Amino acid sequence: MTAFEDLDLSNPLRNSIADLGFSHPTPIQVEAFPVVRSGNDVVGIAQTGTGKTFAYILPILRDLKFSKQLNPRVLILVPTRELVLQVVEEIEKLAKYITLRVLGVYGGVNLNRHKQAVAEGCDIIVATPGRLYDLAVSKVLKLKSIQKLVIDEVDVMLDLGFRFQILNIFDLLPVRRQNIMFSATMTEDVEALIDDFFIAPKKIAIAVSGT
Ligand code: ADP
Ligand code: MG
């Protein structure tokens, strides 16, 4: 069984994982780590509860350098407010010993409040698609420095009808970026999105255990 020591983690990440009390990385975390770090586009499929959030956060935090710039370099899109809060919390736990600014934004909060938060600067922004788009077109949020785009729960996102919002956001992002997608299921809609926008994606699929 692969141990966290077998992954090329940094000491701050090792320490935060030790604080969390995790004994081993999950299979999707083991497989995703080098692939996400390679810079290729990535599609990861594994059932709910298999640790997909850390599967993309660990390698991203491993390579994100300290910066004072205001524009975010990583964009994580998720379908709901609850997930924004959850992903922000998980990043903060892992980044306990790293100087890093994480911002979560979602609908239902006064837009000006989020504009102010964005103006203060962040390294990683976690967002629902509608709110992200509103902030970007208001020109307060500048997406020109985004190097990595993560779409988490992309199957749910497409089921909720976010395809066009996702495409609108793609138009605002730098062409040269890494696309990373995680999903519990590979649906036809997910396949179509990958075929249309991903460049030679590396696919990681963890089989359902017991089948
Ligand atoms: P998924 O996105 O695949 O549904 P999550 O990323 O939400 O799964 O993780 C599910 C739970 O497992 C979370 O509570 C998370 O903190 C925990 N977890 C993640 N990685 C590990 C690990 N390596 N060891 C133990 N627990 C973990
Ligand atoms: Mg998840």
Side-chain angles (χ1 to χ4, degrees):
M1 194 183 248
T2 307
F4 279 111
E5 289 71 39
D6 300 325
L7 303 180
D8 179 22
L9 292 167
S10 54
N11 283 329
L13 287 175
R14 282 185 210 285
N15 292 337
S16 58
I17 289 166
D19 289 355
L20 285 167
F22 292 175
S23 59
H24 288 85
T26 66
I28 188 87
Q29 290 165 2
V30 172
E31 291 217 27
F33 191 77
V35 182
V36 171
R37 289 193 74 198
S38 74
N40 287 291
D41 283 1
V42 181
V43 180
I45 310 284
Q47 68 187 109
T48 303
T50 52
K52 292 193 290 296
T53 314
F54 282 3
Y56 60 81
I57 292 172
L58 268 176
I60 287 175
L61 292 186
R62 171 66 181 80
D63 294 325
L64 199 64
K65 302 278 180 292
F66 173 78
S67 168
K68 283 184 186 165
Q69 79 153 304
L70 296 178
N71 301 327
R73 289 169 289 156
V74 176
L75 167 60
I76 301 173
L77 293 175
V78 298
T80 63
R81 167 187 185 274
E82 287 68 33
L83 264 165
V84 170
L85 296 172
Q86 196 181 312
V87 170
V88 167
E89 194 184 314
E90 301 243 286
I91 294 172
E92 283 173 346
K93 281 184 198 160
L94 266 193
K96 191 171 163 189
Y97 303 110
I98 302 172
T99 306
L100 181 91
R101 300 156 301 166
V102 190
L103 175 64
V105 294
Y106 40 80
V109 174
N110 182 294
L111 186 62
N112 284 323
R113 246 181 73 187
H114 280 157
K115 284 182 182 173
Q116 276 171 19
V118 165
E120 285 170 24
C122 63
D123 301 297
I124 300 180
I125 185 161
V126 186
T128 50
R131 178 52 53 111
L132 194 280
Y133 187 75
D134 291 345
L135 286 165
V137 295
S138 79
K139 301 272 195 270
V140 177
L141 175 64
K142 296 189 179 62
L143 298 174
K144 64 182 180 194
S145 300
I146 296 292
Q147 300 161 353
K148 293 176 196 297
L149 165 70
V150 180
I151 310 180
D152 196 0
E153 301 218 359
V154 62
D155 49 350
V156 175
M157 204 102 95
L158 295 172
D159 284 350
L160 290 172
F162 281 136
R163 183 180 159 89
F164 286 104
Q165 273 168 315
I166 292 171
L167 300 191
N168 284 334
I169 292 167
F170 282 173
D171 278 342
L172 303 174
L173 295 174
V175 176
R176 277 179 62 91
R177 63 171 191 267
Q178 182 183 21
N179 296 305
I180 300 163
M181 205 182 258
F182 276 86
S183 182
T185 55
M186 181 59 104
T187 63
E188 262 178 46
D189 289 346
V190 172
E191 200 99 58
L193 194 71
I194 294 164
D195 287 347
D196 289 349
F197 295 98
F198 278 44
I199 300 165
K202 301 274 186 241
K203 291 187 185 159
I204 308 162
I206 303 297
V208 178
S209 60
T211 58

Coordinates of all heavy atoms in Angstrom, one line a residue, residues 94-159:
L94 N -5.2 21.6 4.6 CA -3.9 21.1 4.0 C -2.9 22.2 4.0 O -1.7 21.9 4.0 CB -4.2 20.6 2.6 CG -4.4 19.1 2.4 CD1 -4.3 18.8 0.9 CD2 -3.4 18.3 3.2
A95 N -3.4 23.4 3.9 CA -2.4 24.6 3.7 C -2.1 25.2 5.0 O -1.6 26.3 5.1 CB -3.0 25.6 2.7
K96 N -2.4 24.5 6.1 CA -2.2 25.0 7.5 C -0.8 25.6 7.7 O -0.6 26.6 8.3 CB -2.4 23.9 8.4 CG -2.5 24.2 9.9 CD -2.9 22.9 10.6 CE -2.6 23.0 12.1 NZ -2.8 21.7 12.8
Y97 N 0.3 25.0 7.1 CA 1.6 25.5 7.2 C 2.2 26.2 6.0 O 3.4 26.3 5.8 CB 2.5 24.3 7.7 CG 2.1 23.7 8.9 CD1 1.5 22.4 8.9 CD2 2.1 24.3 10.2 CE1 1.1 21.7 10.0 CE2 1.7 23.7 11.3 CZ 1.1 22.4 11.2 OH 0.7 21.8 12.4
I98 N 1.3 26.6 5.1 CA 1.7 27.3 3.9 C 1.0 28.6 3.9 O -0.1 28.8 4.3 CB 1.2 26.5 2.6 CG1 1.7 25.1 2.6 CG2 1.6 27.2 1.3 CD1 1.1 24.2 1.5
T99 N 1.8 29.7 3.4 CA 1.1 31.0 3.3 C 0.4 31.0 2.0 O 1.0 31.0 0.9 CB 2.2 32.1 3.3 OG1 3.0 31.9 4.5 CG2 1.6 33.5 3.3
L100 N -0.9 31.0 2.1 CA -1.8 30.8 0.9 C -3.1 31.5 1.1 O -3.7 31.4 2.2 CB -2.0 29.3 0.7 CG -2.8 28.9 -0.5 CD1 -1.9 28.7 -1.7 CD2 -3.6 27.6 -0.3
R101 N -3.6 32.2 0.1 CA -4.9 32.9 0.2 C -6.0 32.1 -0.6 O -5.8 32.0 -1.8 CB -4.8 34.3 -0.2 CG -3.8 35.1 0.6 CD -3.3 36.3 -0.2 NE -2.7 35.9 -1.5 CZ -2.4 36.7 -2.5 NH1 -2.6 38.0 -2.4 NH2 -1.8 36.2 -3.6
V102 N -7.0 31.6 0.1 CA -8.1 30.9 -0.6 C -9.3 31.7 -0.4 O -9.7 32.1 0.7 CB -8.3 29.5 0.1 CG1 -9.2 28.7 -0.8 CG2 -7.0 28.8 0.3
L103 N -10.1 31.8 -1.5 CA -11.4 32.6 -1.4 C -12.5 31.7 -2.0 O -12.3 31.1 -3.1 CB -11.2 33.9 -2.2 CG -12.5 34.7 -2.4 CD1 -13.0 35.2 -1.0 CD2 -12.3 35.9 -3.3
G104 N -13.6 31.6 -1.3 CA -14.8 30.9 -1.8 C -15.9 31.9 -2.2 O -16.1 32.8 -1.4
V105 N -16.5 31.8 -3.4 CA -17.6 32.6 -3.8 C -18.7 31.8 -4.4 O -18.5 30.8 -5.0 CB -17.1 33.7 -4.8 CG1 -16.1 34.7 -4.2 CG2 -16.5 33.1 -6.0
Y106 N -19.9 32.3 -4.1 CA -21.1 31.5 -4.6 C -22.3 32.5 -4.6 O -22.3 33.5 -3.9 CB -21.4 30.3 -3.6 CG -21.2 30.7 -2.2 CD1 -22.1 31.3 -1.4 CD2 -19.9 30.4 -1.6 CE1 -21.9 31.7 -0.1 CE2 -19.7 30.7 -0.2 CZ -20.7 31.3 0.5 OH -20.5 31.7 1.8
G107 N -23.3 32.1 -5.3 CA -24.5 32.9 -5.3 C -25.3 33.0 -4.0 O -25.0 32.2 -3.1
G108 N -26.1 34.0 -3.9 CA -26.9 34.2 -2.7 C -26.2 35.1 -1.7 O -26.8 35.5 -0.6
V109 N -25.0 35.6 -2.0 CA -24.3 36.6 -1.2 C -24.2 37.8 -2.0 O -24.1 37.8 -3.2 CB -22.9 36.1 -0.8 CG1 -22.1 37.1 -0.1 CG2 -22.9 34.8 0.0
N110 N -24.4 39.0 -1.3 CA -24.3 40.2 -2.0 C -23.0 40.3 -2.9 O -21.9 40.0 -2.4 CB -24.2 41.3 -1.0 CG -24.2 42.7 -1.6 OD1 -23.2 43.1 -2.2 ND2 -25.2 43.5 -1.4
L111 N -23.2 40.6 -4.2 CA -22.1 40.6 -5.1 C -21.0 41.6 -4.7 O -19.8 41.3 -4.9 CB -22.6 40.9 -6.6 CG -21.6 40.8 -7.7 CD1 -21.0 39.4 -7.8 CD2 -22.2 41.2 -9.0
N112 N -21.3 42.7 -4.2 CA -20.3 43.7 -3.8 C -19.4 43.1 -2.7 O -18.2 43.5 -2.6 CB -21.0 45.0 -3.3 CG -21.5 45.8 -4.5 OD1 -20.8 45.8 -5.5 ND2 -22.6 46.4 -4.3
R113 N -19.9 42.3 -1.8 CA -19.1 41.7 -0.8 C -18.0 40.8 -1.4 O -16.9 40.9 -1.0 CB -20.0 40.9 0.1 CG -20.1 41.4 1.5 CD -20.9 40.5 2.4 NE -20.3 39.3 2.8 CZ -20.9 38.3 3.5 NH1 -22.2 38.4 3.8 NH2 -20.2 37.2 3.8
H114 N -18.4 40.1 -2.4 CA -17.5 39.2 -3.1 C -16.5 40.1 -3.9 O -15.3 39.7 -4.0 CB -18.2 38.2 -4.0 CG -18.7 37.0 -3.2 ND1 -19.7 36.2 -3.7 CD2 -18.3 36.5 -2.0 CE1 -20.0 35.3 -2.8 NE2 -19.2 35.4 -1.8
K115 N -17.0 41.2 -4.5 CA -16.0 42.0 -5.2 C -14.9 42.6 -4.3 O -13.8 42.6 -4.7 CB -16.8 43.2 -5.9 CG -17.6 42.8 -7.1 CD -18.3 44.1 -7.7 CE -19.1 43.8 -8.9 NZ -19.9 44.9 -9.3
Q116 N -15.3 43.0 -3.1 CA -14.3 43.5 -2.1 C -13.3 42.4 -1.8 O -12.1 42.6 -1.7 CB -15.0 43.9 -0.9 CG -15.6 45.3 -0.9 CD -16.4 45.7 0.3 OE1 -16.4 45.0 1.3 NE2 -17.2 46.7 0.1
A117 N -13.9 41.2 -1.5 CA -13.0 40.0 -1.2 C -12.0 39.8 -2.3 O -10.8 39.5 -2.1 CB -13.8 38.8 -0.9
V118 N -12.5 39.8 -3.5 CA -11.6 39.5 -4.7 C -10.6 40.6 -4.8 O -9.4 40.3 -5.1 CB -12.5 39.4 -6.0 CG1 -11.6 39.5 -7.2 CG2 -13.3 38.2 -6.1
A119 N -10.9 41.8 -4.6 CA -10.0 42.9 -4.7 C -8.8 42.8 -3.7 O -7.7 43.3 -3.9 CB -10.7 44.3 -4.5
E120 N -9.0 42.1 -2.6 CA -7.9 41.9 -1.6 C -6.9 40.9 -2.1 O -5.8 40.8 -1.6 CB -8.5 41.5 -0.3 CG -9.2 42.6 0.4 CD -10.0 42.2 1.6 OE1 -9.7 41.1 2.2 OE2 -10.9 42.9 2.0
G121 N -7.3 40.1 -3.2 CA -6.3 39.2 -3.8 C -6.4 37.8 -3.2 O -6.8 37.6 -2.0
C122 N -6.1 36.8 -4.0 CA -6.1 35.4 -3.6 C -5.3 34.5 -4.5 O -5.0 35.0 -5.6 CB -7.6 34.8 -3.5 SG -8.4 34.7 -5.0
D123 N -4.9 33.4 -4.0 CA -4.1 32.5 -4.9 C -5.0 31.4 -5.5 O -4.8 31.1 -6.7 CB -3.1 31.7 -4.0 CG -2.1 32.7 -3.3 OD1 -1.4 33.4 -4.1 OD2 -2.1 32.8 -2.1
I124 N -6.0 31.0 -4.8 CA -7.0 29.9 -5.2 C -8.4 30.5 -5.0 O -8.7 31.0 -4.0 CB -6.8 28.6 -4.5 CG1 -5.4 28.1 -4.6 CG2 -7.8 27.6 -4.9 CD1 -5.2 26.7 -3.9
I125 N -9.2 30.4 -6.1 CA -10.6 30.8 -5.9 C -11.4 29.6 -6.2 O -11.3 28.9 -7.2 CB -11.0 32.0 -6.8 CG1 -12.4 32.5 -6.5 CG2 -10.8 31.8 -8.3 CD1 -12.7 33.9 -7.0
V126 N -12.4 29.3 -5.3 CA -13.3 28.2 -5.4 C -14.7 28.8 -5.6 O -15.1 29.7 -4.8 CB -13.3 27.4 -4.1 CG1 -14.2 26.1 -4.2 CG2 -11.9 27.0 -3.7
A127 N -15.4 28.4 -6.6 CA -16.6 29.1 -7.0 C -17.7 28.3 -7.6 O -17.4 27.2 -8.2 CB -16.2 30.2 -8.0
T128 N -18.9 28.7 -7.5 CA -20.0 28.2 -8.3 C -19.9 29.0 -9.7 O -19.5 30.1 -9.7 CB -21.3 28.3 -7.7 OG1 -21.5 29.7 -7.2 CG2 -21.5 27.4 -6.5
P129 N -20.3 28.3 -10.8 CA -20.1 29.0 -12.1 C -20.8 30.3 -12.3 O -20.2 31.3 -12.8 CB -20.7 27.9 -13.1 CG -20.6 26.6 -12.4 CD -20.8 26.9 -10.9
G130 N -22.0 30.5 -11.8 CA -22.7 31.7 -12.0 C -22.0 32.9 -11.3 O -21.8 33.9 -11.9
R131 N -21.6 32.7 -10.1 CA -21.0 33.8 -9.3 C -19.6 34.1 -9.9 O -19.2 35.3 -10.0 CB -20.9 33.4 -7.9 CG -20.3 34.4 -7.0 CD -20.8 35.9 -7.1 NE -22.2 36.0 -6.9 CZ -22.8 36.6 -5.9 NH1 -22.1 37.1 -4.9 NH2 -24.2 36.7 -5.9
L132 N -18.9 33.1 -10.3 CA -17.6 33.3 -10.9 C -17.7 34.1 -12.2 O -17.0 35.1 -12.3 CB -17.0 31.9 -11.3 CG -15.5 31.8 -11.6 CD1 -15.1 32.2 -13.0 CD2 -14.6 32.6 -10.6
Y133 N -18.7 33.8 -13.0 CA -18.9 34.5 -14.2 C -19.3 36.0 -14.0 O -18.7 36.9 -14.6 CB -20.0 33.8 -15.1 CG -20.1 34.5 -16.4 CD1 -19.2 34.2 -17.4 CD2 -21.2 35.3 -16.8 CE1 -19.3 34.8 -18.7 CE2 -21.3 35.9 -18.0 CZ -20.3 35.6 -19.0 OH -20.4 36.2 -20.2
D134 N -20.2 36.2 -13.0 CA -20.6 37.6 -12.7 C -19.4 38.4 -12.2 O -19.3 39.6 -12.6 CB -21.7 37.6 -11.6 CG -23.0 37.0 -12.1 OD1 -23.2 36.9 -13.3 OD2 -23.8 36.7 -11.3
L135 N -18.5 37.8 -11.4 CA -17.4 38.6 -10.9 C -16.4 38.8 -12.0 O -15.8 39.9 -12.1 CB -16.7 37.7 -9.8 CG -17.4 37.7 -8.4 CD1 -16.8 36.6 -7.6 CD2 -17.3 39.1 -7.7
A136 N -16.3 37.9 -12.9 CA -15.3 38.1 -14.0 C -15.8 39.1 -15.0 O -15.0 40.0 -15.5 CB -15.1 36.7 -14.8
V137 N -17.1 39.1 -15.3 CA -17.5 40.1 -16.3 C -17.6 41.5 -15.7 O -17.6 42.5 -16.4 CB -18.9 39.8 -17.0 CG1 -18.7 38.5 -17.9 CG2 -20.0 39.6 -16.0
S138 N -17.7 41.6 -14.4 CA -17.7 42.9 -13.7 C -16.3 43.5 -13.7 O -16.1 44.6 -13.2 CB -18.2 42.7 -12.3 OG -17.1 42.2 -11.4
K139 N -15.3 42.7 -14.2 CA -13.9 43.2 -14.4 C -13.2 43.3 -13.0 O -12.0 43.6 -13.0 CB -13.8 44.5 -15.1 CG -14.4 44.5 -16.5 CD -13.4 44.1 -17.5 CE -13.9 44.5 -18.9 NZ -14.7 43.4 -19.5
V140 N -13.8 42.9 -11.9 CA -13.1 43.0 -10.7 C -12.2 41.8 -10.5 O -11.0 41.9 -10.1 CB -14.1 43.0 -9.5 CG1 -13.4 42.9 -8.2 CG2 -15.0 44.2 -9.6
L141 N -12.7 40.6 -11.0 CA -11.9 39.4 -10.9 C -11.2 39.2 -12.3 O -11.8 39.2 -13.3 CB -12.8 38.2 -10.7 CG -12.2 36.8 -10.8 CD1 -11.1 36.7 -9.6 CD2 -13.2 35.7 -10.7
K142 N -9.9 39.2 -12.2 CA -9.1 39.0 -13.4 C -8.6 37.6 -13.5 O -7.9 37.1 -12.6 CB -7.9 40.0 -13.5 CG -8.4 41.5 -13.5 CD -7.4 42.5 -13.8 CE -8.0 43.9 -13.8 NZ -8.6 44.2 -12.5
L143 N -8.9 36.9 -14.6 CA -8.6 35.5 -14.8 C -7.4 35.2 -15.6 O -7.1 34.1 -15.9 CB -9.8 34.8 -15.4 CG -11.1 34.8 -14.5 CD1 -12.3 34.2 -15.3 CD2 -10.9 34.1 -13.2
K144 N -6.7 36.3 -16.0 CA -5.5 36.2 -16.9 C -4.4 35.4 -16.3 O -3.5 34.9 -17.0 CB -5.0 37.5 -17.3 CG -4.5 38.4 -16.2 CD -4.0 39.7 -16.7 CE -3.5 40.5 -15.5 NZ -3.3 41.9 -15.8
S145 N -4.3 35.2 -15.0 CA -3.2 34.4 -14.4 C -3.6 33.0 -14.1 O -2.8 32.3 -13.5 CB -2.7 35.1 -13.1 OG -2.3 36.4 -13.4
I146 N -4.8 32.6 -14.4 CA -5.2 31.2 -14.1 C -4.4 30.2 -14.9 O -4.3 30.2 -16.1 CB -6.7 31.0 -14.4 CG1 -7.6 31.9 -13.5 CG2 -7.1 29.5 -14.2 CD1 -7.6 31.5 -12.0
Q147 N -3.7 29.3 -14.1 CA -2.8 28.3 -14.7 C -3.5 26.9 -14.7 O -3.2 26.1 -15.5 CB -1.5 28.2 -14.0 CG -0.7 29.5 -14.0 CD 0.3 29.5 -12.8 OE1 0.4 28.6 -12.0 NE2 1.2 30.5 -12.8
K148 N -4.4 26.8 -13.7 CA -5.0 25.5 -13.5 C -6.5 25.7 -13.3 O -6.9 26.5 -12.4 CB -4.5 24.7 -12.3 CG -3.0 24.3 -12.5 CD -2.5 23.6 -11.3 CE -1.0 23.5 -11.3 NZ -0.5 22.7 -12.3
L149 N -7.3 25.0 -14.1 CA -8.8 25.0 -13.9 C -9.2 23.6 -13.4 O -8.9 22.6 -14.0 CB -9.5 25.3 -15.2 CG -11.0 25.0 -15.2 CD1 -11.8 25.9 -14.3 CD2 -11.5 25.0 -16.6
V150 N -9.9 23.5 -12.2 CA -10.4 22.3 -11.8 C -11.9 22.4 -11.8 O -12.5 23.4 -11.4 CB -10.0 22.0 -10.3 CG1 -10.6 20.7 -9.8 CG2 -8.5 22.0 -10.1
I151 N -12.5 21.4 -12.4 CA -14.0 21.3 -12.4 C -14.3 20.0 -11.6 O -14.0 18.9 -12.0 CB -14.7 21.2 -13.8 CG1 -14.1 22.3 -14.7 CG2 -16.2 21.3 -13.6 CD1 -14.7 22.3 -16.1
D152 N -14.8 20.2 -10.4 CA -15.1 19.1 -9.5 C -16.6 18.8 -9.6 O -17.4 19.6 -9.8 CB -14.8 19.5 -8.0 CG -14.7 18.3 -7.1 OD1 -14.9 17.1 -7.6 OD2 -14.4 18.5 -5.9
E153 N -16.9 17.5 -9.4 CA -18.3 17.0 -9.6 C -18.9 17.5 -10.9 O -20.0 18.0 -11.0 CB -19.2 17.5 -8.4 CG -18.6 17.0 -7.1 CD -19.7 16.6 -6.1 OE1 -20.9 16.7 -6.4 OE2 -19.3 16.1 -5.0
V154 N -18.1 17.3 -11.9 CA -18.5 17.8 -13.3 C -19.8 17.1 -13.7 O -20.6 17.7 -14.4 CB -17.4 17.7 -14.3 CG1 -17.0 16.2 -14.5 CG2 -17.7 18.3 -15.6
D155 N -20.0 15.8 -13.3 CA -21.2 15.1 -13.7 C -22.5 15.8 -13.1 O -23.5 16.1 -13.8 CB -21.2 13.6 -13.3 CG -20.8 13.4 -11.8 OD1 -20.3 14.4 -11.2 OD2 -20.9 12.3 -11.4
V156 N -22.4 16.2 -11.8 CA -23.5 16.9 -11.2 C -23.7 18.3 -11.8 O -24.8 18.7 -12.1 CB -23.2 17.1 -9.7 CG1 -24.2 18.0 -9.0 CG2 -23.0 15.8 -9.0
M157 N -22.5 19.0 -12.1 CA -22.6 20.3 -12.7 C -23.3 20.2 -14.1 O -24.2 21.1 -14.3 CB -21.1 20.7 -13.0 CG -20.9 22.1 -13.1 SD -20.2 22.7 -11.6 CE -18.5 22.7 -11.9
L158 N -23.1 19.3 -14.9 CA -23.7 19.2 -16.2 C -25.2 18.7 -16.0 O -26.1 19.3 -16.7 CB -23.0 18.2 -17.1 CG -21.6 18.7 -17.5 CD1 -20.8 17.6 -18.2 CD2 -21.6 19.9 -18.3
D159 N -25.5 17.9 -15.0 CA -26.9 17.5 -14.8 C -27.7 18.7 -14.3 O -28.9 18.8 -14.6 CB -26.9 16.4 -13.6 CG -26.5 15.0 -14.1 OD1 -26.4 14.9 -15.4 OD2 -26.3 14.1 -13.3

